[in-house]
Amino acid sequence: MEDVQSTPAEVPIDIDRVGVKNLRLPLVVRDRAREHQHTVAEVDLGADLPASSKGTHMSRLVEALSAWKETLDYQTLKSLLIDVRSRLAAQRAYVVFRFPYFMEKHAPSTKIPGLMSYECRLTGEIGPESERPSFLLEVDVPVMTVCPCSLAICNQTAAHSQRAIVTIACRFHGFVWLEDLVEIAEDAASAPVYSLLKREDEKVVTEQAFANPAFVEDVVRAAAHTLESHPQIRWFRVEVHSQESIHDHDAYASIEKVVRP
């Protein structure tokens, strides 16, 4: 049977990335409180393609993922990338896992537990003849912010508040807990958000937020300051996206920095 993919391309241009997107599979990730947790991931897989080939062999990517273990850690992700590179005879291979990560949070007054879901992404890439892949870890953390300007002009009696999303992306040495990144984001904001609050809890959260008003600039600086001191992080990007409650626009701020080589 003719291998059409291996025939010459009509337009001989190298392709940086070609592959498959949105494959779904069960996933096991490390959990600081319970050692491991089970979740579900959407996965993108791909590789580069030289100008001499018309197409890649998409089925080999699906085969590589089907043969892969469901536990996400350094060694298993490294083996997946090497397998993809080998199956496609490529120079470079990449994979992206997108998954919800769940953390149990207790309401601040009643201590009632509730599950919070945080959207996470882990990207892995490996280059030609390299045995050391690079990884990018990202997490979106919802928080609450109170506008300092609004609070000041209302004589400390009222202010507009809103939900904001703190997105932290980092490259690191060793291992970084997702819980660390969530806590950094929440500590930088006016207050965290919760999945379950009774009235006495709402009072505590609201009072905390109004006692700690913060612009997006304040939140992004506070998060960046803490990320700089994290011993495993060597590069980070943090962005705060505020879903404004009284404006017909959103507000954002972003900081990106190399911490250590």
Side-chain angles (χ1 to χ4, degrees), residues 4 11 21-22 39 46 59 111 123 125 128-129 133 166-167 170 183-184 198 209 211 213 217 219 224-225 236 242:
V4 178
V11 180
K21 281 182 172 286
N22 300 326
T39 184
S59 63
K111 306 303 178 184
T123 302
E125 300 185 60
E129 305 305 323
V166 181
T167 299
C170 65
E183 289 166 2
I184 288 170
K198 307 300 274 187
E217 296 94 331
V219 179
H225 179 69
F236 69 83
S242 177

Side-chain angles (χ1 to χ4, degrees), residues 36 47 69 128 163 187 217:
H36 296 92
K69 297 178 180 178
R163 179 180 297 189
D187 289 345
E217 296 94 331

Side-chain angles (χ1 to χ4, degrees), residues 166-186:
V166 181
T167 299
I168 295 176
C170 65
R171 299 188 185 277
F172 48 89
H173 298 294
F175 181 80
V176 171
W177 290 106
L178 283 166
E179 290 87 345
D180 286 354
L181 304 183
V182 171
E183 289 166 2
I184 288 170
E186 291 181 338

Side-chain angles (χ1 to χ4, degrees), residues 25-43 68-74 76-77 96-103 116 118-122 137-139 175-179:
L25 84 165
L27 188 68
V28 180
V29 294
R30 292 183 65 179
D31 184 312
R32 191 172 67 186
R34 297 171 293 178
E35 294 189 0
H36 296 92
Q37 75 168 253
H38 295 263
T39 184
V40 176
E42 287 190 344
V43 186
W68 182 73
K69 297 178 180 178
E70 296 175 359
T71 301
L72 189 61
D73 59 29
Y74 177 86
T76 60
L77 191 51
V96 182
F97 287 87
R98 294 180 296 275
F99 57 94
Y101 186 78
F102 296 92
M103 290 174 55
M116 285 288 296
Y118 301 95
E119 292 300 317
C120 303
R121 296 166 294 283
L122 180 62
L137 179 63
E138 302 173 85
V139 60
F175 181 80
V176 171
W177 290 106
L178 283 166
E179 290 87 345

Side-chain angles (χ1 to χ4, degrees), residues 106-112 144 146 161 190-211:
H106 291 80
S109 181
T110 62
K111 306 303 178 184
I112 298 173
M144 179 181 176
V146 170
S161 60
S190 296
V193 299
Y194 299 80
S195 62
L196 177 58
L197 294 172
K198 307 300 274 187
R199 280 177 294 177
E200 52 264 53
D201 299 309
E202 292 184 3
K203 179 178 184 295
V204 171
V205 173
T206 304
E207 289 177 344
Q208 177 185 345
F210 275 73

Side-chain angles (χ1 to χ4, degrees), residues 61-170:
L61 294 165
V62 181
E63 288 174 335
L65 191 61
S66 297
W68 182 73
K69 297 178 180 178
E70 296 175 359
T71 301
L72 189 61
D73 59 29
Y74 177 86
Q75 290 299 332
T76 60
L77 191 51
K78 175 182 173 180
S79 68
L80 176 60
L81 288 166
I82 292 173
D83 188 26
V84 168
R85 186 180 63 185
S86 175
R87 286 176 188 261
L88 297 178
Q91 294 292 304
R92 299 182 180 277
Y94 77 95
V95 61
V96 182
F97 287 87
R98 294 180 296 275
F99 57 94
Y101 186 78
F102 296 92
M103 290 174 55
E104 185 175 84
K105 289 182 64 177
H106 291 80
S109 181
T110 62
K111 306 303 178 184
I112 298 173
L115 280 179
M116 285 288 296
S117 171
Y118 301 95
E119 292 300 317
C120 303
R121 296 166 294 283
L122 180 62
T123 302
E125 300 185 60
I126 196 166
E129 305 305 323
S130 172
E131 296 305 315
R132 294 194 61 178
S134 63
F135 298 112
L136 176 67
L137 179 63
E138 302 173 85
V139 60
D140 299 331
V141 183
V143 298
M144 179 181 176
T145 59
V146 170
C147 176
C149 180
S150 177
L151 190 63
I153 62 178
C154 293
N155 298 318
Q156 306 297 311
T157 59
H160 73 84
S161 60
Q162 53 274 318
R163 179 180 297 189
I165 303 296
V166 181
T167 299
I168 295 176
C170 65

